[in-house]
Amino acid sequence: MTPDISKRPTTAGRRRGTRVLAASLALTATALGVAGCDSAAAGTLEGSHLELPVTGGTAVVDTTSLAVTARTGDGQRLVLSGPAGGGLGEPGPVTRTADGARWSYPAKGLSVTASSERGRLRIKLRSDRDGSVSWPVTGTDRAASAVQLPRGEGLDIPVRDAFWNSGSEKGGLAGSTVDVGAELALPLWGYSMGDGANGSGGGHGVSYLTPTDLGTSLRFTSTGGRLRTTAAHAFDAGEGTRDYDVSFALTDGNPVAPAADYRSYLAQHGQLGSLRKKIRKNPANAKLLGAFHAYVWGEARTAAGVERLKRLGVDRMWLGYDAGPGPMKTAAVAAAKKAGYLVGPYDTFANGQDPKTADSPTSAWPDRVYPDFCVRKADGTAQTGFGGRGCYLSSRAFEKAEPAKHYLADRTRSMVANGADSYFLDVDATGELFRDHAKGHEMTKAGDREMRLARMRRLAKNLVLGSESAQPWANQVLAFDHGSGTPVADGLWKLERDRQKWGGYYPENAPTIFFKPVQLPADLATAMYDPKYRVPLYETALHGSLVNVERWELSYEKLPAQKTARALLAMLYNTPLNYVLDGPTLTRNVPELAALQKYFAPLHRAAGTERMTSFRWLTGDRTVQRTVFGNGTLTVTANFGTKAHDGLPGGCVDARLRTDQQPRRLCPAQLNG
């Protein structure tokens, strides 16, 4: 097709209005691991400049400073990194290796290896002492036009955009630092260069992958009204972060190209999960396909409430309930399963409190789990739990005790005694990891990650397992997540703490924290839900591996002003909406829910196990966007604007399965929910 670039962007980056991640890009990224450049990987060394072949051109590393440039196949010169911040001192001699070179910076205690690996430039730093390095220094190329950031689902930010060049107090990024392992949904970022990818995919860009995400951060600065980013890594023997690994890849400049590169990286390293395989191992996982998600309260968690939901036309749902008083009873669970729904409890293995005073059943443990299993800081004090409640519990302490004591197995068994076939395990898959100094169950953050994965693997054998904001290291064990669909901005936490505006945990059968509608401040609405900045990085990387949903306290009805945009994003990204339901909302909101789910279900059943193969903007103002899944299995076009485009009205979405003669249209605002 011929892309529509009739409206040019102004301050939003002087790029062409259309960018394409064609199937060819995805296939090329995958092929990096097949063809690669290893036959000529040794490259050449001229003075201090090491040249190594990469897919799409040649990378040049300055061994005196770690500055990195590239020459593309069509003759462009790109700056991939400026010199390391603060200097490195005099380098030692450079020694050639089979696939590159190695050298050192004695003053910093750093040894370096640079190589060409599967079409990427890979640079590994190892430190013989605790310290830090500020590198790579990115976005310094004058041609840099946009930065890609995997905050939640993902953002593409024009480097000159005034909003994002403001400070975090105004919703922007300038002056802020994010923890790559804890605050980003994927361990990567990227830049587009110049006009970016045009309709033929002929632009330029760069992808930065940091698999050593623990100890790595990314700082944003505004220099001359342009966003730049500098990564930093803390070398810490006690934390197990003395190694730092960065891979650079040349891309076509498409905004989701860094995520396509990362998906290829995961596949090449045997780290990419498959929802199809998960369904084969546990057929109940198939019930996720076509399902919306909802936490149920009051009447909605009774057998009668579930049957009513089914009668109103909802044929697939994931239903969750909290572990407080009145969980779903056996009859309600049976009704849900009869309806074809998944149903499961909320649980957490992360919090421990004195059983005599615990404010939640999930925080009460037998024997001396509390306080003996508390994570301990270096000074021996307990790591205070979420919200100042009790302590965080050590995953290693649980793993050491489990063969004899079965604390986790017993907990799970009791939680699903009502017949539940799903499980939501809070925080286990997030980036919130701990170093434990407690004698007998010491662990690093990397060790914490491994212990969490071990227990999630056990749960996933028989239950449809979900967790909060799934980091990619958990993509092979989880079937779904609640949270990685939400690009959380700092202001959200401040707003949620304002109980008067956001709501609290009462009344018990319909807590206002979940049910009270909220008007987001303008800056927060822009940072989180303005579609011109939103891009599907997470789906490009992990669609078809697990099902990605927004945070559970941000139900579809919680933010009325964002409903249309969120519905269009859900259909465009092939991801479910989430809800909270009680008795009154079964009457008030379910007709709209049923209509949306009826539209979504056949699309997700067809494409939920497919990869996202294409994302493009069809107009210069980015209001009309298109995605493709699989080899044309599903094509979705969403119009976030107010004017019709190519017959598609503003505020509407067209979806076409390969077998459809005509597109299926949905205009969410017309449902009058």
Side-chain angles (χ1 to χ4, degrees):
M1 62 166 287
T2 302
D4 181 346
I5 51 172
S6 56
K7 293 187 70 177
R8 294 272 183 172
T10 53
T11 58
R14 289 154 52 193
R15 289 175 288 171
R16 290 181 183 265
T18 301
R19 283 211 185 144
V20 180
L21 174 66
S24 61
L25 182 145
L27 293 173
T28 298
T30 302
L32 290 177
V34 179
C37 298
D38 293 341
S39 60
T44 60
L45 179 66
E46 295 184 8
S48 64
H49 291 124
L50 173 67
E51 298 190 0
L52 292 169
V54 294
T55 297
T58 302
V60 183
V61 182
D62 185 341
T63 60
T64 66
S65 66
L66 283 182
V68 183
T69 58
R71 295 191 306 274
T72 65
D74 61 359
Q76 299 292 312
R77 182 184 181 276
L78 307 178
V79 178
L80 308 190
S81 173
L88 298 167
E90 286 294 321
V94 179
T95 303
R96 300 303 306 278
T97 63
D99 56 0
R102 65 175 183 269
W103 64 98
S104 64
Y105 299 104
K108 294 279 285 186
L110 291 174
S111 58
V112 185
T113 61
S115 61
S116 179
E117 184 178 280
R118 288 173 165 165
R120 302 180 186 89
L121 169 66
R122 181 183 184 187
I123 297 181
K124 296 185 290 182
L125 307 183
R126 170 167 285 186
S127 180
D128 65 7
R129 67 196 70 165
D130 288 354
S132 66
V133 65
S134 294
W135 176 88
V137 180
T138 61
T140 61
D141 193 310
R142 290 184 178 181
S145 54
V147 57
Q148 291 85 42
L149 182 70
R151 178 192 271 184
E153 181 62 69
L155 300 171
D156 177 270
I157 300 167
V159 297
R160 292 186 179 276
D161 189 279
F163 174 81
W164 294 103
N165 274 274
S166 67
S168 58
E169 70 281 356
K170 295 182 179 180
L173 287 170
S176 66
T177 300
V178 295
D179 185 320
V180 173
E183 298 177 87
L184 296 184
L186 306 168
L188 61 85
W189 69 101
Y191 274 89
S192 301
M193 306 292 188
D195 284 340
N198 57 25
S200 62
H204 294 294
V206 58
S207 161
Y208 303 92
L209 307 182
T210 55
T212 46
D213 56 335
L214 297 178
T216 302
S217 60
L218 190 65
R219 179 168 177 79
F220 291 84
T221 56
S222 179
T223 305
R226 296 167 57 88
L227 276 179
R228 293 182 177 180
T229 49
T230 299
H233 186 80
F235 300 103
D236 187 317
E239 292 286 359
T241 60
R242 285 280 185 88
D243 292 289
Y244 181 34
D245 196 337
V246 183
S247 287
F248 304 72
L250 301 181
T251 74
D252 70 352
N254 184 276
V256 296
D261 179 37
Y262 184 55
R263 184 184 181 95
S264 296
Y265 176 93
L266 290 174
Q268 291 158 3
H269 290 80
Q271 298 170 7
L272 181 63
S274 164
L275 192 54
R276 283 194 184 97
K277 291 181 180 178
K278 294 168 189 174
I279 290 170
R280 285 198 294 270
K281 291 179 179 178
N282 179 5
N285 283 311
K287 293 182 184 180
L288 287 170
L289 298 176
F292 279 178
H293 293 229
Y295 279 89
V296 290
W297 305 78
E299 182 191 341
R301 64 172 62 171
T302 66
V306 171
E307 290 162 357
R308 188 175 173 193
L309 192 61
K310 180 71 172 182
R311 284 198 306 273
L312 288 167
V314 181
D315 74 337
R316 285 279 175 102
M317 285 293 289
W318 178 91
L319 301 180
Y321 53 91
D322 71 318
M328 286 187 81
K329 296 188 175 4
T330 302
V333 170
K337 293 168 78 172
K338 182 180 178 182
Y341 302 167
L342 285 165
V343 59
Y346 163 96
D347 196 5
T348 177
F349 299 160
N351 188 255
Q353 300 177 40
D354 185 335
K356 297 176 183 177
T357 57
D359 57 13
S360 169
T362 61
S363 298
W365 296 88
D367 304 333
R368 286 184 55 84
V369 167
Y370 179 86
D372 290 358
F373 284 20
C374 288
V375 170
R376 298 282 169 181
K377 302 176 186 177
D379 63 3
T381 60
Q383 182 75 48
T384 304
F386 178 77
R389 302 155 51 247
C391 72
Y392 279 101
L393 297 176
S394 170
S395 60
R396 184 157 191 258
F398 271 123
E399 286 302 293
K400 288 186 69 175
E402 194 63 12
K405 295 294 187 179
H406 316 302
Y407 292 125
L408 301 182
D410 289 347
R411 163 68 75 84
T412 303
R413 193 177 298 110
S414 68
M415 295 287 275
V416 300
N418 58 3
D421 54 0
S422 185
Y423 214 81
F424 182 82
L425 187 60
D426 201 19
V427 309
D428 254 36
T430 69
E432 188 179 40
L433 302 165
F434 295 100
R435 182 178 177 188
D436 189 359
H437 295 266
K439 188 175 181 180
H441 49 83
E442 299 91 342
M443 67 180 180
T444 63
K445 290 182 179 180
D448 191 8
R449 188 179 277 183
E450 289 305 313
M451 297 301 104
R452 294 177 187 220
L453 279 171
R455 66 196 191 191
M456 286 192 285
R457 284 191 194 99
R458 294 194 297 270
L459 285 171
K461 288 180 180 179
N462 300 303
L463 295 163
V464 177
L465 182 63
S467 189
E468 180 187 353
S469 301
Q471 293 285 312
W473 50 264
N475 87 86
Q476 292 178 290
V477 298
L478 294 179
F480 68 96
D481 80 83
H482 292 165
S484 285
T486 306
V488 173
D490 290 345
L492 179 65
W493 308 132
K494 181 180 179 181
L495 180 60
E496 289 190 5
R497 286 192 294 270
D498 187 332
R499 293 290 184 241
Q500 185 174 356
K501 291 181 179 178
W502 192 264
Y505 287 94
Y506 298 94
E508 189 174 275
N509 282 343
T512 53
I513 192 172
F514 302 119
F515 286 88
K516 181 182 178 180
V518 169
Q519 182 77 25
L520 290 180
D523 288 347
L524 197 52
T526 297
M528 292 178 63
Y529 291 111
D530 190 327
K532 71 173 176 284
Y533 301 122
R534 292 286 300 265
V535 291
L537 296 176
Y538 196 87
E539 297 317 306
T540 299
L542 293 175
H543 197 275
S545 174
L546 49 73
V547 175
N548 185 27
V549 189
E550 284 216 59
R551 295 182 60 84
W552 76 311
E553 80 272 23
L554 295 174
S555 72
Y556 184 58
E557 300 290 345
K558 182 73 176 177
L559 309 174
Q562 280 72 45
K563 281 179 64 174
T564 294
R566 293 173 82 192
L568 296 182
L569 286 166
M571 304 308 159
L572 185 69
Y573 296 172
N574 200 230
T575 55
L577 293 170
N578 69 337
Y579 287 79
V580 289
L581 297 172
D582 65 347
T585 55
L586 282 175
T587 298
R588 185 171 65 246
N589 298 336
V590 168
E592 180 187 18
L593 182 161
L596 290 167
Q597 191 268 336
K598 183 178 181 180
Y599 181 85
F600 174 76
L603 310 180
H604 197 233
R605 288 185 187 185
T609 57
E610 301 281 354
R611 64 181 298 178
M612 180 182 280
T613 49
S614 176
F615 170 78
R616 64 174 75 179
W617 293 308
L618 300 187
T619 56
D621 62 3
R622 302 184 176 191
T623 58
V624 185
Q625 304 177 17
R626 176 170 290 167
T627 54
V628 180
F629 298 85
N631 187 22
T633 299
L634 171 66
T635 301
V636 186
T637 307
N639 186 345
F640 295 94
T642 57
K643 299 179 180 178
H645 172 79
D646 198 20
L648 178 62
C652 298
V653 59
D654 275 353
R656 176 176 283 181
L657 296 172
R658 184 189 290 113
T659 54
D660 288 342
Q661 296 299 311
Q662 297 292 330
R664 306 159 184 241
R665 179 160 296 174
L666 174 71
C667 300
Q670 296 178 8
L671 298 177
N672 296 319

